[in-house]
């Protein structure tokens, strides 16, 4: 016989008031209470709510303009469940910030799913590395991977390999910016010598001289080349739906991008780790080197490398930054949140 679920914890309005006064941010759905204190910095409007509660912006709210939350966002809420509110659940806690997160009638589709998250009943064993388990999910994988969780992910059994699959955000600029600056100067010097010609391997008569003045244009072309490449990879590789009968393609999808959608706030997996990134970057360089003169391909490469660094930094900021409400980055953060919770299977370039 399965063990009975633990009884729900109940909180009196006075107890909730004390937690609010201590700086917590709780919300209510019916009689259920959720502690969103740790989630505020991730939500597009969270920083504004923090300012409002500090008395800096009394017009701010968690969601900005009224909008409908996705099913995944509402399931995500259950991971923050802490207990029930004692007494009449219809009104807000007096002089507090616990308010209803949904004033509509209960969604009959969602109601059965609004329950305490039971990690022991999930499709995978979270106590073991996930990479070797996801391939067995088959047709259930696509739905499972697009139901986000708020816990870190372990992929590999080996501690060494696992450490190489994760990275802190600042490793990206620390490792790649010095290389980009060095190669930029080196290839500019090569162009300045005046002996670099495009198409010379095909025809000396119609070859084109490439002086140092073309450096800015080639560099910008490299930036745009990265943008196009990133879109194509994200659209057709990261967001492919692996065949349900292919164990290894499911594993490939999960290790490349599925893990990020499963745990979007695992800060150790928000930027590409240096070791696997170096393989992709080296391949990019070799292709350009084979197709173009070294200096020409090299300048395109360093432009693309800067584009990659900018991309990874923006992506990290959209998850953990707090852009000013109404700014371009604020709208980008809101759009990216929808990508993770409402339209996970659509293409997204950040």
């Amino acid at each position: 016989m399965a063990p009975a679920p633990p009884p729900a914890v109940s909180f009196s309005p006075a107890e909730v008031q004390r937690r609010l006064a201590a700086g917590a941010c709780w919300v209510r759905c019916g009689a259920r209470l959720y502690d969103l204190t740790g989630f505020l910095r991730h939500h597009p409007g969270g920083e504004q709510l923090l300012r409002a509660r500090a008395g800096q912006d009394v017009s701010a709210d968690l969601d900005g303009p009224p909008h409908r939350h996705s099913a995944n966002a509402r399931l995500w809420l259950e991971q923050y469940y802490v207990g029930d509110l004692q007494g009449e659940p219809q009104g807000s806690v007096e002089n507090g910030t616990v308010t209803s997160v949904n004033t509509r009638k209960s969604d009959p589709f969602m109601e059965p799913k609004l329950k305490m998250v039971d990690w022991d009943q999930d499709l995978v064993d979270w106590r073991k590395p996930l990479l070797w388990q996801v391939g067995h999910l088959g047709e259930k994988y696509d739905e499972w991977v697009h139901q986000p969780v708020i816990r870190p992910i372990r992929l590999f059994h080996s501690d060494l390999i696992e450490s190489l699959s994760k990275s802190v955000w600042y490793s990206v600029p620390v490792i790649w910016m010095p290389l980009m600056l060095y190669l930029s100067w080196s290839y500019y010097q090569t162009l300045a010598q005046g002996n670099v010609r495009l198409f010379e391997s095909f025809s000396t008569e119609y070859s084109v001289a490439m002086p140092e003045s073309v450096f800015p244009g080639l560099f910008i072309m490299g930036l745009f080349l990265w943008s196009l490449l990133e879109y194509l990879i994200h659209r057709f590789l990261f967001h492919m739906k692996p065949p349900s009968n292919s164990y290894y393609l499911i594993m490939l999808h999960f290790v490349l991008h599925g893990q990020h959608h499963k745990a979007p706030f695992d800060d150790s997996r928000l930027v590409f780790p240096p070791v696997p990134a170096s393989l992709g970057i080296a391949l990019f360089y070799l292709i350009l080197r084979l197709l173009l003169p070294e200096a020409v391909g090299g300048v395109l490469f360093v432009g693309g490398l800067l584009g990659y660094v900018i991309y990874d930094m923006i992506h990290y900021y959209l998850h953990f930054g707090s852009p000013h409400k109404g700014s371009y980055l604020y709208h980008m953060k809101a759009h990216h949140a929808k990508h993770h919770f409402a339209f996970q299977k659509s293409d997204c370039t950040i």
Side-chain angles (χ1 to χ4, degrees):
M1 178 181 296
V9 179
S10 295
F11 295 90
S12 67
E15 172 62 20
V16 173
Q17 276 297 130
R18 286 194 294 271
R19 293 178 182 271
L20 296 176
C25 177
W26 286 22
V27 298
R28 176 180 58 79
C29 181
R32 297 172 71 81
L33 294 171
Y34 305 88
D35 183 0
L36 299 186
T37 309
F39 180 64
L40 288 184
R41 65 188 295 241
H42 306 312
H43 193 283
E47 184 69 18
Q48 282 67 45
L49 182 59
L50 288 173
R51 295 193 188 104
R53 298 183 69 238
Q56 301 174 18
D57 182 5
V58 296
S59 65
D61 60 75
L62 182 61
D63 293 313
H67 61 277
R68 182 181 180 89
H69 282 101
S70 69
N72 269 322
R74 296 171 66 190
L75 286 172
W76 173 275
L77 181 66
E78 288 305 305
Q79 298 174 81
Y80 292 92
Y81 172 71
V82 292
D84 295 336
L85 179 65
Q86 296 176 359
E88 175 56 46
Q90 296 303 318
S92 299
V93 175
E94 185 178 358
N95 298 324
T97 59
V98 172
T99 56
S100 174
V101 297
N102 185 5
T103 58
R104 300 185 307 274
K105 293 182 179 179
S106 297
D107 187 333
F109 172 75
M110 288 297 301
E111 190 64 28
K113 298 183 179 182
L114 296 180
K115 57 185 179 181
M116 191 68 174
V117 175
D118 188 348
W119 300 109
D120 293 331
Q121 298 299 318
D122 198 9
L123 296 176
V124 297
D125 186 347
W126 286 88
R127 296 166 297 184
K128 300 177 181 178
L130 296 187
L131 184 59
W132 317 110
Q133 301 183 62
V134 295
H136 295 295
L137 296 181
E139 61 184 13
K140 297 179 180 178
Y141 169 77
D142 191 58
E143 179 181 2
W144 174 85
V145 80
H146 291 113
Q147 293 177 344
V149 298
I150 55 171
R151 59 182 297 165
I153 281 179
R154 184 179 179 94
L155 293 177
F156 300 98
H157 291 279
S158 167
D159 290 338
L160 175 61
I161 300 178
E162 177 69 11
S163 67
L164 296 178
S165 72
K166 301 187 291 185
S167 179
V168 293
W169 69 267
Y170 52 81
S171 68
V172 175
V174 166
I175 292 174
W176 300 116
M177 286 300 291
L179 178 63
M180 186 275 296
L181 293 173
Y182 169 76
L183 291 179
S184 294
W185 174 252
S186 176
Y187 289 130
Y188 179 83
Q189 293 291 94
T190 302
L191 291 174
Q193 294 175 8
N195 54 9
V196 177
R197 304 188 69 86
L198 190 61
F199 308 126
E200 189 174 23
S201 59
F202 300 102
S203 170
T204 55
E205 182 179 358
Y206 297 102
S207 62
V208 179
M210 304 295 287
E212 69 271 21
S213 59
V214 304
F215 181 92
L218 290 174
F219 192 93
I220 294 174
M221 285 179 61
L223 281 169
F224 283 106
L225 179 61
W226 159 255
S227 297
L228 174 62
L229 182 63
E230 193 283 325
Y231 171 79
L232 293 175
I233 293 174
H234 209 125
R235 175 68 179 84
F236 296 106
L237 181 60
F238 288 176
H239 281 277
M240 70 171 182
K241 182 178 180 180
S244 60
N245 61 349
S246 177
Y247 176 86
Y248 292 106
L249 284 180
I250 290 176
M251 286 179 58
L252 176 65
H253 179 268
F254 189 70
V255 76
L256 288 177
H257 197 60
Q259 55 168 315
H260 174 54
H261 274 264
K262 189 62 183 176
F265 296 112
D266 183 347
D267 61 354
S268 66
R269 299 188 183 279
L270 282 179
V271 299
F272 222 68
V275 171
S278 64
L279 300 178
I281 289 172
L283 178 63
F284 181 51
Y285 174 79
L286 289 175
I287 292 174
L288 291 174
R289 181 66 185 85
L290 289 173
L291 296 177
L292 299 166
E294 181 179 2
V296 176
V299 177
L300 288 174
F301 170 76
V302 295
L305 187 58
L306 178 61
Y308 159 68
V309 173
I310 293 173
Y311 164 84
D312 246 357
M313 293 300 93
I314 291 178
H315 182 229
Y316 187 90
Y317 184 76
L318 294 183
H319 278 264
F320 283 96
S322 299
H324 183 72
K325 187 174 183 179
S327 66
Y328 178 69
L329 284 174
Y330 177 87
H331 291 294
M332 285 186 68
K333 184 179 177 78
H335 174 75
H336 195 65
K338 291 179 181 178
H339 174 62
H340 276 284
F341 293 98
F343 311 112
Q344 307 97 315
K345 301 177 185 180
S346 62
D347 57 291
C348 179
T349 57
I350 284 291

